Amino acid sequence: MAKTYDYLFKLLLIGDSGVGKTCVLFRFSEDAFNTTFISTIGIDFKIRTIDLDGKKIKLQIWDTAGQERFRTITTAYYRGAMGIMLVYDITNEKSFENIKNWIRNIEENASADVEKMLLGNKCELEEKRQVSKERGEQLAIEYGIKFIETSAKASIRVEEAFFTLARDIKAKMEKKLEASNPPKGGHQLRASEPQRKPPSWLSRCTLL
Amino acid sequence: MPDCNKNFESEIKEGKNLRNVKCKYCSSLILTPSTGTFTSFEFNLPLMKQSKVNDSNPDTENVSLFWAVNEMYTFQNVGFSNTVGDNKYLTCADCEAGPIGFHDIPSKKSYVALSRVQHV
Ligand SMILES: Nc1nc2c(ncn2[C@@H]2O[C@H](COP(=O)(O)OP(=O)(O)O)[C@@H](O)[C@H]2O)c(=O)[nH]1
Ligand SMILES: [Mg+2]
Protein backbone atom coordinates (compact mmCIF):
# COMPACT_ATOMS: atom_id res chain seq x y z
CA MET A 1 0.00 0.00 0.00
CA ALA A 2 1.22 3.50 -0.79
CA LYS A 3 2.38 5.73 2.01
CA THR A 4 -0.42 7.96 3.22
CA TYR A 5 1.75 10.60 4.83
CA ASP A 6 4.70 12.82 4.00
CA TYR A 7 6.62 12.81 7.26
CA LEU A 8 6.81 10.75 10.42
CA PHE A 9 8.21 12.45 13.53
CA LYS A 10 9.00 10.70 16.78
CA LEU A 11 8.45 13.05 19.71
CA LEU A 12 9.12 12.61 23.42
CA LEU A 13 7.82 14.28 26.56
CA ILE A 14 10.45 14.81 29.25
CA GLY A 15 10.32 16.43 32.68
CA ASP A 16 9.84 15.74 36.37
CA SER A 17 7.13 13.44 37.59
CA GLY A 18 3.85 15.27 38.18
CA VAL A 19 4.37 18.20 35.80
CA GLY A 20 1.53 16.96 33.57
CA LYS A 21 3.26 15.09 30.72
CA THR A 22 0.62 12.38 30.50
CA CYS A 23 -2.15 14.99 30.57
CA VAL A 24 -0.44 16.94 27.80
CA LEU A 25 -0.31 13.75 25.75
CA PHE A 26 -4.00 13.06 26.22
CA ARG A 27 -6.76 15.49 26.64
CA PHE A 28 -7.07 16.22 30.34
CA SER A 29 -9.88 14.07 31.68
CA GLU A 30 -11.11 14.63 35.21
CA ASP A 31 -10.89 10.99 36.27
CA ALA A 32 -13.51 10.20 33.62
CA PHE A 33 -12.01 6.83 32.76
CA ASN A 34 -10.06 6.26 35.92
CA THR A 35 -11.37 2.81 36.71
CA THR A 36 -10.63 1.46 33.26
CA PHE A 37 -8.31 -1.23 32.17
CA ILE A 38 -6.27 1.26 30.11
CA SER A 39 -5.38 3.59 32.98
CA THR A 40 -4.21 0.55 34.94
CA ILE A 41 -1.76 -0.70 32.30
CA GLY A 42 -0.71 2.75 31.04
CA ILE A 43 0.01 4.26 27.65
CA ASP A 44 3.14 3.61 25.62
CA PHE A 45 2.74 6.04 22.72
CA LYS A 46 0.20 7.82 20.62
CA ILE A 47 -0.17 8.49 16.92
CA ARG A 48 -1.47 11.85 15.76
CA THR A 49 -2.01 13.09 12.23
CA ILE A 50 -1.68 16.77 11.49
CA ASP A 51 -1.65 18.87 8.37
CA LEU A 52 1.20 21.34 8.06
CA ASP A 53 1.41 23.59 5.01
CA GLY A 54 -0.27 20.94 2.87
CA LYS A 55 1.92 18.11 4.14
CA LYS A 56 0.49 15.23 6.08
CA ILE A 57 2.55 14.63 9.20
CA LYS A 58 2.31 11.62 11.49
CA LEU A 59 3.43 12.31 15.02
CA GLN A 60 4.37 9.40 17.20
CA ILE A 61 4.46 10.78 20.72
CA TRP A 62 5.92 8.76 23.58
CA ASP A 63 5.16 8.98 27.26
CA THR A 64 7.94 8.12 29.72
CA ALA A 65 6.18 5.30 31.56
CA GLY A 66 7.25 6.85 34.84
CA GLN A 67 11.00 6.34 34.23
CA GLU A 68 11.49 10.01 35.11
CA ARG A 69 10.82 9.25 38.77
CA PHE A 70 14.32 7.82 38.89
CA ARG A 71 15.68 11.06 37.42
CA THR A 72 17.18 9.30 34.44
CA ILE A 73 15.84 8.27 31.11
CA THR A 74 17.64 5.54 29.26
CA THR A 75 19.26 5.88 25.86
CA ALA A 76 16.72 3.43 24.45
CA TYR A 77 13.91 5.88 25.12
CA TYR A 78 15.69 8.61 23.18
CA ARG A 79 16.50 6.42 20.16
CA GLY A 80 15.22 7.92 16.93
CA ALA A 81 13.67 10.92 18.69
CA MET A 82 13.43 13.98 16.47
CA GLY A 83 11.70 16.30 18.90
CA ILE A 84 11.51 16.66 22.66
CA MET A 85 9.00 18.61 24.74
CA LEU A 86 10.70 19.64 27.99
CA VAL A 87 7.91 20.12 30.49
CA TYR A 88 7.91 21.84 33.89
CA ASP A 89 5.10 22.90 36.20
CA ILE A 90 4.82 26.70 36.70
CA THR A 91 3.61 26.05 40.27
CA ASN A 92 6.68 23.96 41.09
CA GLU A 93 10.06 25.73 41.28
CA LYS A 94 11.98 22.47 41.58
CA SER A 95 10.55 21.11 38.31
CA PHE A 96 11.82 24.28 36.59
CA GLU A 97 15.30 24.01 38.10
CA ASN A 98 15.47 20.41 36.98
CA ILE A 99 15.02 21.38 33.32
CA LYS A 100 18.77 22.03 33.23
CA ASN A 101 19.39 18.45 34.37
CA TRP A 102 16.98 17.10 31.79
CA ILE A 103 18.78 19.04 29.07
CA ARG A 104 22.05 17.51 30.21
CA ASN A 105 20.43 14.06 30.12
CA ILE A 106 19.26 14.75 26.58
CA GLU A 107 22.68 15.92 25.47
CA GLU A 108 24.21 12.72 26.83
CA ASN A 109 21.65 10.36 25.34
CA ALA A 110 19.78 11.81 22.38
CA SER A 111 20.90 12.66 18.89
CA ALA A 112 22.70 16.02 18.82
CA ASP A 113 20.32 17.68 16.38
CA VAL A 114 17.09 16.76 18.18
CA GLU A 115 14.67 19.71 18.16
CA LYS A 116 13.71 20.85 21.68
CA MET A 117 10.95 23.01 23.08
CA LEU A 118 10.20 24.22 26.63
CA LEU A 119 6.68 23.97 28.08
CA GLY A 120 5.55 25.67 31.28
CA ASN A 121 2.45 23.63 32.10
CA LYS A 122 -0.47 24.29 34.51
CA CYS A 123 -0.50 27.94 33.44
CA GLU A 124 -4.15 28.34 34.47
CA LEU A 125 -3.03 28.11 38.13
CA GLU A 126 -1.95 31.77 38.22
CA GLU A 127 -2.50 32.10 41.99
CA LYS A 128 -0.10 29.24 42.69
CA ARG A 129 2.57 30.34 40.22
CA GLN A 130 6.18 29.99 41.42
CA VAL A 131 7.97 30.43 38.11
CA SER A 132 7.39 33.66 36.20
CA LYS A 133 6.85 33.59 32.48
CA GLU A 134 9.96 35.76 32.06
CA ARG A 135 12.17 33.13 33.70
CA GLY A 136 10.79 30.52 31.34
CA GLU A 137 11.49 32.74 28.37
CA GLN A 138 14.99 33.52 29.66
CA LEU A 139 15.87 29.84 30.06
CA ALA A 140 14.61 29.08 26.56
CA ILE A 141 16.74 31.89 25.12
CA GLU A 142 19.75 30.52 26.99
CA TYR A 143 19.32 27.17 25.24
CA GLY A 144 18.19 28.64 21.94
CA ILE A 145 14.85 26.83 22.00
CA LYS A 146 11.20 27.89 21.82
CA PHE A 147 9.00 28.40 24.86
CA ILE A 148 5.29 28.29 25.47
CA GLU A 149 3.08 28.18 28.58
CA THR A 150 0.32 25.57 28.41
CA SER A 151 -2.49 24.14 30.44
CA ALA A 152 -3.51 20.57 29.80
CA LYS A 153 -6.43 21.09 32.16
CA ALA A 154 -7.86 24.18 30.44
CA SER A 155 -6.71 23.08 26.95
CA ILE A 156 -4.55 26.15 26.51
CA ARG A 157 -1.97 26.11 23.71
CA VAL A 158 -1.25 22.35 23.92
CA GLU A 159 -2.02 21.77 20.23
CA GLU A 160 -0.13 24.92 19.33
CA ALA A 161 2.92 23.56 21.12
CA PHE A 162 2.90 20.31 19.13
CA PHE A 163 2.34 22.18 15.86
CA THR A 164 5.24 24.51 16.60
CA LEU A 165 7.60 21.66 17.39
CA ALA A 166 6.48 19.70 14.32
CA ARG A 167 6.88 22.75 12.09
CA ASP A 168 10.42 23.32 13.32
CA ILE A 169 11.40 19.69 12.73
CA LYS A 170 9.89 19.82 9.25
CA ALA A 171 11.78 23.01 8.41
CA LYS A 172 15.02 21.47 9.64
CA MET A 173 14.46 18.29 7.60
CA GLU A 174 13.61 20.19 4.45
CA LYS A 175 16.73 22.27 4.86
CA LYS A 176 18.82 19.12 5.22
CA LEU A 177 17.14 17.53 2.20
CA GLU A 178 17.83 20.58 0.10
CA ALA A 179 21.46 20.66 1.20
CA SER A 180 21.99 16.98 0.37
CA ASN A 181 20.26 17.07 -3.02
CA PRO A 182 19.94 20.51 -4.55
CA PRO A 183 16.62 21.06 -6.34
CA LYS A 184 16.49 19.60 -9.83
CA GLY A 185 13.03 21.01 -10.27
CA GLY A 186 9.81 19.45 -9.11
CA HIS A 187 11.40 16.85 -6.82
CA GLN A 188 9.01 16.13 -4.00
CA LEU A 189 7.95 13.46 -1.58
CA ARG A 190 4.25 13.12 -2.11
CA ALA A 191 1.47 11.45 -0.19
CA SER A 192 -0.91 9.27 -2.11
CA GLU A 193 -3.98 11.01 -0.84
CA PRO A 194 -3.43 14.43 0.67
CA GLN A 195 -6.16 15.46 3.04
CA ARG A 196 -7.18 19.07 3.56
CA LYS A 197 -9.56 18.69 6.47
CA PRO A 198 -8.13 19.72 9.83
CA PRO A 199 -7.69 16.84 12.27
CA SER A 200 -10.35 16.50 14.93
CA TRP A 201 -8.23 17.81 17.80
CA LEU A 202 -7.68 20.99 15.82
CA SER A 203 -11.32 21.57 15.15
CA ARG A 204 -12.07 21.04 18.79
CA CYS A 205 -9.39 23.57 19.62
CA THR A 206 -11.14 26.23 17.60
CA LEU A 207 -14.36 25.61 19.54
CA LEU A 208 -12.80 26.69 22.78
CA MET B 1 -23.93 -11.49 21.34
CA PRO B 2 -22.43 -8.30 22.70
CA ASP B 3 -21.17 -6.83 19.45
CA CYS B 4 -23.96 -7.65 17.09
CA ASN B 5 -23.98 -4.13 15.66
CA LYS B 6 -27.32 -4.23 13.95
CA ASN B 7 -26.27 -3.04 10.54
CA PHE B 8 -22.57 -3.72 10.47
CA GLU B 9 -22.80 -5.09 6.95
CA SER B 10 -23.86 -1.69 5.66
CA GLU B 11 -20.59 -0.28 7.04
CA ILE B 12 -18.54 -2.50 4.73
CA LYS B 13 -17.77 -1.55 1.17
CA GLU B 14 -15.52 -3.85 -0.87
CA GLY B 15 -14.24 -5.33 2.36
CA LYS B 16 -13.25 -1.96 3.83
CA ASN B 17 -14.83 0.58 6.15
CA LEU B 18 -17.27 2.75 4.23
CA ARG B 19 -17.25 5.66 6.65
CA ASN B 20 -14.97 7.41 9.12
CA VAL B 21 -14.24 5.49 12.31
CA LYS B 22 -14.44 7.76 15.35
CA CYS B 23 -14.36 7.57 19.14
CA LYS B 24 -17.82 6.99 20.61
CA TYR B 25 -17.19 9.41 23.44
CA CYS B 26 -15.32 12.37 21.96
CA SER B 27 -15.54 11.83 18.17
CA SER B 28 -11.77 11.86 17.70
CA LEU B 29 -11.01 10.57 14.17
CA ILE B 30 -9.41 7.13 14.28
CA LEU B 31 -9.58 5.84 10.68
CA THR B 32 -10.57 7.50 7.43
CA PRO B 33 -12.76 5.53 4.96
CA SER B 34 -11.27 2.46 3.21
CA THR B 35 -8.28 2.13 5.54
CA GLY B 36 -9.52 -0.82 7.64
CA THR B 37 -10.20 -4.30 6.29
CA PHE B 38 -13.23 -6.12 7.71
CA THR B 39 -12.18 -9.24 9.62
CA SER B 40 -14.07 -11.62 11.85
CA PHE B 41 -12.63 -13.79 14.63
CA GLU B 42 -13.17 -14.21 18.34
CA PHE B 43 -11.17 -12.20 20.84
CA ASN B 44 -11.60 -11.58 24.56
CA LEU B 45 -11.33 -7.83 24.89
CA PRO B 46 -11.26 -6.24 28.36
CA LEU B 47 -14.26 -4.02 29.06
CA MET B 48 -13.90 -0.26 28.94
CA LYS B 49 -15.33 0.07 32.44
CA GLN B 50 -14.00 -2.36 35.00
CA SER B 51 -15.78 -3.25 38.20
CA LYS B 52 -12.51 -3.35 40.15
CA VAL B 53 -9.36 -1.25 39.81
CA ASN B 54 -5.93 -2.85 39.42
CA ASP B 55 -7.28 -6.30 39.03
CA SER B 56 -5.06 -8.78 37.24
CA ASN B 57 -8.13 -10.54 35.89
CA PRO B 58 -10.01 -7.82 34.04
CA ASP B 59 -13.66 -8.26 33.04
CA THR B 60 -13.73 -9.12 29.35
CA GLU B 61 -16.25 -9.74 26.61
CA ASN B 62 -16.07 -11.77 23.46
CA VAL B 63 -15.74 -9.48 20.45
CA SER B 64 -15.75 -10.77 16.88
CA LEU B 65 -16.01 -7.94 14.33
CA PHE B 66 -12.90 -5.91 13.54
CA TRP B 67 -11.30 -3.44 11.19
CA ALA B 68 -7.81 -4.82 10.54
CA VAL B 69 -5.05 -2.27 9.97
CA ASN B 70 -1.71 -3.54 8.66
CA GLU B 71 0.45 -0.56 9.38
CA MET B 72 0.09 1.53 12.54
CA TYR B 73 0.72 4.82 10.77
CA THR B 74 -2.48 4.26 8.82
CA PHE B 75 -4.31 5.47 11.93
CA GLN B 76 -5.26 9.12 12.05
CA ASN B 77 -5.25 9.32 15.84
CA VAL B 78 -4.85 6.44 18.27
CA GLY B 79 -3.12 5.50 21.50
CA PHE B 80 -1.12 2.29 22.14
CA SER B 81 -1.02 0.93 25.68
CA ASN B 82 1.94 -0.73 27.32
CA THR B 83 2.49 -4.34 26.34
CA VAL B 84 0.44 -7.15 27.86
CA GLY B 85 1.59 -10.56 26.61
CA ASP B 86 1.70 -10.35 22.81
CA ASN B 87 -0.62 -7.35 22.65
CA LYS B 88 -0.90 -3.66 23.09
CA TYR B 89 -4.40 -2.27 23.53
CA LEU B 90 -5.70 0.58 21.39
CA THR B 91 -7.30 3.67 22.91
CA CYS B 92 -8.78 6.93 21.76
CA ALA B 93 -5.93 9.42 21.35
CA ASP B 94 -7.98 12.21 22.86
CA CYS B 95 -9.99 10.95 25.79
CA GLU B 96 -8.07 7.73 26.47
CA ALA B 97 -11.25 5.65 26.28
CA GLY B 98 -10.44 2.04 25.57
CA PRO B 99 -9.64 -0.62 24.73
CA ILE B 100 -11.18 0.11 21.34
CA GLY B 101 -9.20 -2.81 19.97
CA PHE B 102 -5.75 -4.35 20.15
CA HIS B 103 -2.39 -4.57 18.39
CA ASP B 104 -0.80 -7.96 17.80
CA ILE B 105 2.96 -7.51 18.26
CA PRO B 106 4.19 -10.59 16.30
CA SER B 107 2.20 -9.75 13.16
CA LYS B 108 2.32 -5.96 13.70
CA LYS B 109 -1.37 -5.82 12.81
CA SER B 110 -3.94 -3.79 14.67
CA TYR B 111 -7.63 -4.59 15.10
CA VAL B 112 -10.33 -2.05 15.93
CA ALA B 113 -13.54 -3.54 17.35
CA LEU B 114 -16.60 -2.31 15.43
CA SER B 115 -18.64 -2.34 18.62
CA ARG B 116 -16.25 -0.01 20.46
CA VAL B 117 -16.27 2.83 17.93
CA GLN B 118 -18.80 4.85 15.93
CA HIS B 119 -19.10 5.07 12.15
CA VAL B 120 -19.96 8.50 10.79
N1 LIG C 1 -4.20 22.38 37.35
C1 LIG C 1 -3.61 21.59 36.44
N2 LIG C 1 -3.30 20.33 36.77
C2 LIG C 1 -2.72 19.56 35.81
C3 LIG C 1 -2.43 20.05 34.52
N3 LIG C 1 -1.82 19.04 33.82
C4 LIG C 1 -1.76 17.99 34.66
N4 LIG C 1 -2.28 18.29 35.86
C5 LIG C 1 -2.37 17.41 37.06
O1 LIG C 1 -1.07 17.14 37.50
C6 LIG C 1 -0.96 15.81 38.00
C7 LIG C 1 0.16 15.06 37.28
O2 LIG C 1 -0.19 14.91 35.91
P1 LIG C 1 0.46 13.78 35.00
O3 LIG C 1 0.04 14.05 33.60
O4 LIG C 1 0.20 12.44 35.55
O5 LIG C 1 2.00 14.13 35.18
P2 LIG C 1 3.29 13.30 34.69
O6 LIG C 1 3.83 12.60 35.88
O7 LIG C 1 4.25 14.36 34.21
O8 LIG C 1 2.86 12.39 33.59
C8 LIG C 1 -2.32 15.18 37.81
O9 LIG C 1 -3.01 15.24 39.03
C9 LIG C 1 -2.99 16.07 36.78
O10 LIG C 1 -4.37 16.08 36.96
C10 LIG C 1 -2.78 21.41 34.20
O11 LIG C 1 -2.58 21.93 33.10
N5 LIG C 1 -3.37 22.13 35.21
MG1 LIG D 1 3.09 10.33 33.35
Side-chain angles (χ1 to χ4, degrees), chain A residues 37, chain B residues 43-48 50 58-61 89 98-99 116:
Chain A
F37 177 70
Chain B
F43 189 86
N44 260 328
L45 201 59
L47 296 177
M48 287 198 173
Q50 296 287 326
D59 308 327
T60 63
E61 70 177 348
Y89 291 95
R116 301 273 176 104

Side-chain angles (χ1 to χ4, degrees), chain A residues 9 14 16-18 33 44 63 75 91 96 107 109 115 120 122 135-136 158 164 195 202 206:
Chain A
F9 298 156
I14 301 272
D16 280 8
S17 184
F33 291 98
D44 196 10
D63 202 1
T75 309
T91 71
F96 180 70
E107 283 166 352
N109 292 284
E115 196 70 34
K122 308 196 187 180
R135 287 174 66 205
V158 174
T164 304
Q195 188 209 28
L202 236 198
T206 59

Side-chain angles (χ1 to χ4, degrees), chain A:
Chain A
M1 213 172 82
K3 228 168 73 168
T4 54
Y5 53 92
D6 298 284
Y7 293 108
L8 170 64
F9 298 156
K10 179 180 171 182
L11 310 182
L12 308 179
L13 290 154
I14 301 272
D16 280 8
S17 184
V19 297
K21 298 181 298 300
T22 303
C23 290
V24 163
L25 182 60
F26 284 89
R27 187 171 59 180
F28 188 95
S29 60
E30 205 80 67
D31 293 358
F33 291 98
N34 234 356
T35 57
T36 69
F37 177 70
I38 294 294
S39 56
T40 310
I41 53 178
I43 299 294
D44 196 10
F45 62 87
K46 190 165 89 166
I47 291 168
R48 283 271 193 210
T49 306
I50 63 171
D51 205 274
L52 268 188
D53 317 316
K55 299 277 188 206
K56 208 167 188 193
I57 318 253
K58 294 278 171 182
L59 304 179
Q60 190 186 38
I61 315 168
W62 294 74
D63 202 1
T64 51
Q67 277 188 62
E68 76 275 20
R69 265 171 286 160
F70 311 105
R71 297 240 170 268
T72 58
I73 302 269
T74 59
T75 309
Y77 180 68
Y78 287 110
R79 196 163 295 139
M82 298 153 89
I84 297 176
M85 287 289 191
L86 281 151
V87 191
Y88 68 90
D89 171 354
I90 68 144
T91 71
N92 181 335
E93 171 74 32
K94 190 87 196 124
S95 73
F96 180 70
E97 285 165 15
N98 272 331
I99 290 291
K100 286 197 165 77
N101 299 330
W102 286 120
I103 290 185
R104 196 170 318 125
N105 195 257
I106 292 167
E107 283 166 352
E108 285 164 6
N109 292 284
S111 129
D113 66 347
V114 68
E115 196 70 34
K116 294 182 285 293
M117 185 165 173
L118 185 63
L119 294 195
N121 191 40
K122 308 196 187 180
C123 75
E124 94 286 359
L125 293 177
E126 199 51 63
E127 72 286 358
K128 287 194 184 152
R129 182 190 283 275
Q130 289 184 359
V131 183
S132 71
K133 196 174 169 193
E134 290 67 36
R135 287 174 66 205
E137 283 165 351
Q138 198 49 50
L139 187 69
I141 289 169
E142 220 175 281
Y143 286 105
I145 62 181
K146 286 193 180 155
F147 169 68
I148 205 166
E149 282 195 347
T150 58
S151 167
K153 182 169 189 174
S155 295
I156 301 171
R157 289 185 290 271
V158 174
E159 283 82 3
E160 185 185 331
F162 281 106
F163 269 73
T164 304
L165 185 60
R167 187 170 280 119
D168 289 350
I169 297 170
K170 178 172 166 278
K172 188 183 258 181
M173 282 187 67
E174 283 170 349
K175 222 178 183 174
K176 261 197 206 162
L177 258 169
E178 240 168 72
S180 63
N181 54 35
K184 291 185 283 258
H187 168 81
Q188 218 177 8
L189 288 165
R190 199 77 222 63
S192 62
E193 40 185 321
Q195 188 209 28
R196 303 275 166 226
K197 270 188 301 166
S200 62
W201 57 319
L202 236 198
S203 31
R204 185 176 45 256
C205 189
T206 59
L207 291 175
L208 294 166

